[in-house]
Amino acid sequence: MNIVGVDIGGTFTDLVGYVGGHIVTSKTSTVPADPTKGIATSLDLAGCETGSVDELLHGSTIAINTVLERKGARTALLTTTGFRDVYAIGRSNRIEAFNLFFERPEPLMPRDLTFEVRERILATGEVLEPLDEKTLDEAVAWVDGMGVEAVAVCLLHAYVNPEHERRIGAALRQRRPDLFITLSHEILREYREYERTSTTVLNAFVGPRVGGYLRRLDGYLRDASFGGKVHIMRSNGGVMSLRLAQEQPVSMMESGPVAGMIGAGRLSKLLGLERCVGFDMGGTTAKSSLLTGGAPVIETGYVIGDKATGQPMQLPVVDIVEVGAGGGSIAWVDKTGGLHVGPKSVGADPGPACYGKGSADPVVTDADLLLGRINPRRFLNGGMALDVEAARRAMQEKVAGPLALSVPQAAHGVVRIADAAMSLSVRAVSVNKGVDPRDTAMIAFGGAGPLHAISIAREIFIPTVVIPKLPGTFSALGMLMASWRQDFVQTLIGRVGDLQASHAEEVFAELAAAGRDQLTRDGIDPATADFRYYADLRYVGQEHAISIPVESAALLTGEARTVRDRFDREHDKRYGQSAPSETMEVVSLRLVLTAARSDSLAEQWLSQPWTPDSDAGTEHRDVVFDDPERPVKTQILWRNALKAGARIVGPAVIEEPNSTILIHPDDEVRVTDAGHLVVTLKY
């Protein structure tokens, strides 16, 4: 079986495939104007015949970038009369209490593109006011005249009774089949009006752009004689069909970064590491996620962008903290003489100054090059020669000159600031969650991750850093390990033990039916499917709930001791206390439906014995570590020449085709039998 994973990032497009019984890789610049060109190039560089590929798995940043750049479709919102401003008002909480310039999230669409429809459904699902046919006709005509590309429909309590939304959707689709229509109940059947509205608008906002890209991708693959399956990586750590991705593009917001964390989780289990931090540094951003028992945490609430001003999305997402610091992050000096790095990035075009494409902005990659940490002749396996003088000029003009520093001092300052910014994301998934970093290990990947990981780990006292095989394309490798997954949710509010049995069983049946329908639509063999149910539980009076496994409705409607014990234990684990005497209530039921991959080729490769394929000798060059005026003579090693069991004591730079690993003085590296590098830090 030939499978290929392609990850399109803001700077590079990465490919890892298992073709003809061998792992193949490639890394090429992303083409922002048409990302499919980057895919075509990556397939050519890897020597993959498109027609021989059985499955292509794909992740992309196009959805999340569309939101962050606010370059989505002109979108209209239809909602219940009297609730026009739910989306604009949002929540009353002030996340940054001491920020005098605090701002609320700005809606993705102006208020004048919101239309109220006369209807009203109660939280019980009963119809209080029928859908007014005249208002429905007016809404369709209004949409017709507003020049919009997409429409989001989110009616009050449609999560429990979607009949009115269905009628509005049918009328719109009949009148304007060219529009991208999103009905809230098709995306999310869960209460919380603001988050449900925001999620629906997000889907409509990115739909035309993402859908257009996915259609171009499908067209390119079919023209290239591709006859296999296309699966799109989704934010919950699973994959979905191309068709479903076109309908629910909001589900692929974090599709690229999530894949790397899935791969890091698999590797942590192989190495027997109970708790790890996955760290991924690419060209545009750096991402961190806490992995426990080989799995990342899945959150049902997420914010696209800054936590205070970003766009809420109420869908299951792997808990990833992202900061705008990557290899392409721009270094700049403000009016008061302060040095900053990011969040703006040069992206793939023009890229860092050292790429020689005319950029005059110094970035983190330029700084690493000037500090001797990157080999200008071996970048991308020698496929892209770097211009050291261009990097020097940019650093001198934009940073060193204005701050009266030498170029090495400026470059060192840029790297230190970037490392400090990235360490915040690692702290956010460890220290901020009550996890002692000294009890964890870090698994570092991404094109720039292994270059900065040890500095970041040292800053928060993580004792061990693991650099996997193929770190520069590790997210693409992670895609080859992802299972098909679909999440379903249905709000069901009531006291545990007092719920009406028939009502609870009805919701369980609805979730199961929705799951079986999705299996059929995506052509998944039901025999491979795993149905797992969860109940969102809380003590009465609490705002937020915890998902607890439940096997049947009987656990919620009859004797509740089993589910109560589970909830009390989990509450104590998370918050350090529980209240066994308090009354519990359920707010939602969930179904997590997965289908295991028919192969485990990528996971098997992670543990395959390592065999060097090169006998390159050791070189030396000066590299700056702590003192920019005193570079250290450092051994330069080629990773593909290292033997299993080899031990190296820093300082060292270990180079490989798509990444570079910086080993600090006195730190010790061990090559495992499978070829992964385990670095023990000396404090």
Side-chain angles (χ1 to χ4, degrees):
M1 182 176 183
N2 295 332
I3 55 176
V4 170
V6 182
D7 174 28
I8 297 183
T11 306
F12 288 104
T13 295
D14 301 335
L15 179 148
V16 174
Y18 199 94
V19 179
H22 303 283
I23 287 285
V24 296
T25 68
S26 67
K27 194 178 191 79
T28 187
S29 293
T30 294
V31 183
D34 185 2
T36 58
K37 292 183 178 179
I39 294 178
T41 302
S42 65
L43 287 166
D44 289 341
L45 289 173
C48 293
E49 290 289 338
T50 308
S52 67
V53 175
D54 300 301
E55 181 183 11
L56 186 140
L57 300 107
H58 177 44
S60 169
T61 58
I62 185 170
I64 193 169
N65 287 345
T66 298
V67 177
L68 296 176
E69 298 168 3
R70 303 183 74 90
K71 292 182 179 179
R74 178 175 167 84
T75 303
L77 171 64
L78 302 185
T79 190
T80 302
T81 298
F83 293 85
R84 180 182 187 184
D85 293 314
V86 164
Y87 183 40
I89 293 172
R91 291 286 172 188
S92 61
N93 59 323
R94 187 184 178 99
I95 296 175
E96 298 175 351
F98 301 103
N99 181 0
L100 297 177
F101 304 100
F102 174 80
E103 295 181 2
R104 296 189 181 281
E106 183 181 343
L108 295 172
M109 37 154 294
R111 187 173 186 270
D112 61 5
L113 286 181
T114 303
F115 187 87
E116 294 180 311
V117 179
R118 292 196 64 82
E119 65 85 39
R120 187 65 178 269
I121 290 175
L122 299 178
T124 59
E126 298 175 84
V127 177
L128 177 66
E129 181 178 357
L131 177 61
D132 182 64
E133 293 294 339
K134 181 181 177 182
T135 307
L136 174 57
D137 293 339
E138 290 174 352
V140 174
W142 176 82
V143 167
D144 209 23
M146 294 304 293
V148 298
E149 303 168 76
V151 180
V153 183
C154 189
L155 303 182
L156 189 67
H157 301 310
Y159 57 85
V160 65
N161 182 352
E163 180 57 31
H164 290 175
E165 277 196 358
R166 290 193 181 112
R167 288 171 59 187
I168 292 174
L172 286 170
R173 286 162 175 161
Q174 182 179 14
R175 175 77 171 263
R176 291 293 304 275
D178 58 308
L179 295 180
F180 187 90
I181 310 295
T182 298
L183 308 181
S184 72
H185 73 274
E186 295 177 345
I187 302 295
L188 179 67
R189 296 197 63 175
E190 187 175 10
Y191 79 118
R192 296 185 190 278
E193 289 307 307
Y194 170 52
E195 288 80 4
R196 192 166 62 91
T197 302
S198 177
T199 305
T200 307
V201 172
L202 278 167
N203 195 71
F205 185 75
V206 303
R209 184 177 181 186
V210 175
Y213 162 67
L214 292 175
R215 285 191 294 274
R216 289 196 303 275
L217 171 63
D218 188 47
Y220 158 72
L221 292 173
R222 303 309 167 191
D223 290 344
S225 302
F226 176 79
K229 292 183 178 180
V230 178
H231 282 136
I232 304 299
M233 194 75 204
R234 56 190 305 159
S235 305
N236 63 10
V239 297
M240 57 183 165
S241 66
L242 184 67
R243 178 197 50 74
L244 186 59
Q246 291 173 315
E247 296 173 2
Q248 300 181 10
V250 70
S251 298
M252 56 183 289
M253 284 290 175
E254 290 285 1
S255 64
V258 163
M261 300 307 169
I262 298 300
R266 299 291 197 279
L267 178 58
S268 70
K269 290 192 72 173
L270 288 173
L271 296 177
L273 301 172
E274 174 60 23
R275 184 165 277 174
C276 298
V277 173
F279 174 71
D280 174 9
M281 180 183 176
T284 307
T285 59
K287 287 79 66 176
S288 299
S289 184
L290 182 66
L291 310 167
T292 303
V297 176
I298 305 291
E299 298 287 355
T300 55
Y302 187 71
V303 177
I304 307 299
D306 181 79
K307 184 173 291 187
T309 61
Q311 306 295 323
M313 183 179 78
Q314 195 167 326
L315 290 175
V317 180
V318 170
D319 185 22
I320 293 178
V321 175
E322 194 166 350
V323 295
S329 294
I330 299 172
W332 54 284
V333 178
D334 64 26
K335 294 180 180 179
T336 64
L339 177 59
H340 305 264
V341 178
K344 291 185 177 180
S345 172
V346 292
D349 188 13
C354 62
Y355 284 12
K357 296 181 180 180
S359 175
D361 292 315
V363 301
V364 175
T365 297
D366 294 315
D368 284 325
L369 177 65
L370 293 170
L371 296 176
R373 300 178 178 186
I374 295 177
N375 188 337
R377 300 181 305 278
R378 268 185 175 170
F379 192 74
L380 292 187
N381 204 23
M384 178 188 289
L386 301 182
D387 189 338
V388 180
E389 288 307 312
R392 195 184 310 279
R393 285 194 302 271
M395 192 66 68
Q396 174 63 40
E397 292 174 9
K398 296 294 182 72
V399 179
L403 297 179
L405 300 172
S406 68
V407 168
Q409 287 174 331
H412 190 253
V414 169
V415 168
R416 289 291 300 274
I417 290 173
D419 288 346
M422 290 184 287
S423 73
L424 294 177
S425 73
V426 180
R427 290 177 188 273
V429 299
S430 56
V431 177
N432 292 5
K433 293 184 180 294
V435 174
D436 190 339
R438 293 172 296 184
D439 297 330
T440 70
M442 176 186 285
I443 298 180
F445 51 96
L451 199 56
H452 292 260
I454 292 174
S455 293
I456 295 167
R458 177 167 276 107
E459 187 163 328
I460 59 175
F461 300 101
I462 292 178
T464 305
V465 176
V466 178
I467 312 296
K469 295 184 285 190
L470 300 182
T473 53
F474 195 72
S475 287
L477 177 68
M479 291 178 188
L480 307 187
M481 307 177 202
S483 303
W484 181 91
R485 172 170 172 161
Q486 180 74 16
D487 289 76
F488 303 89
V489 61
Q490 174 66 61
T491 289
L492 172 67
I493 298 178
R495 302 288 176 95
V496 174
D498 295 335
L499 279 172
Q500 187 176 354
S502 60
H503 190 192
E505 289 167 359
E506 180 183 345
V507 175
F508 268 84
E510 287 181 7
L511 292 173
R516 288 192 295 269
D517 179 63
Q518 196 62 55
L519 288 170
T520 300
R521 295 178 70 194
D522 285 358
I524 304 296
D525 182 0
T528 66
D530 180 23
F531 288 72
R532 300 210 175 185
Y533 296 92
Y534 298 82
D536 289 354
L537 302 174
R538 64 188 182 189
Y539 297 124
V540 171
Q542 288 184 315
E543 167 66 10
H544 297 287
I546 301 175
S547 291
I548 301 297
V550 292
E551 290 76 31
S552 67
L555 291 177
L556 301 173
T557 60
E559 171 54 47
R561 175 53 54 190
T562 299
V563 74
R564 168 172 281 285
D565 289 344
R566 292 176 183 176
F567 177 74
D568 288 339
R569 284 196 301 270
E570 184 62 26
H571 198 282
D572 184 70
K573 179 180 176 182
R574 291 198 184 193
Y575 304 114
Q577 59 89 23
S578 62
S581 62
E582 291 291 328
T583 303
M584 283 193 323
E585 66 179 354
V586 59
V587 293
S588 294
L589 293 181
R590 298 181 183 276
L591 167 61
V592 177
L593 180 58
T594 58
R597 293 192 57 81
S598 59
D599 66 87
S600 57
L601 300 173
E603 293 183 59
Q604 292 174 22
W605 180 81
L606 277 180
S607 57
Q608 280 182 1
W610 171 255
T611 303
D613 60 8
S614 170
D615 56 359
T618 302
E619 302 175 359
H620 291 83
R621 70 167 177 263
D622 288 342
V623 176
V624 172
F625 287 90
D626 296 322
D627 188 343
E629 302 302 330
R630 295 183 179 178
V632 178
K633 186 177 182 180
T634 302
Q635 56 183 328
I636 311 300
L637 306 170
W638 185 241
R639 181 170 184 174
N640 291 6
L642 300 179
K643 296 180 180 179
R647 292 183 180 270
I648 302 145
V649 177
V653 173
I654 302 175
E655 299 175 344
E656 57 179 295
N658 292 320
S659 189
T660 300
I661 305 153
L662 183 67
I663 308 299
H664 290 237
D666 299 324
D667 291 343
E668 184 176 321
V669 184
R670 174 177 61 86
V671 183
T672 71
D673 292 341
H676 308 293
L677 305 185
V678 178
V679 186
T680 302
L681 279 62
K682 300 296 182 182
Y683 290 97

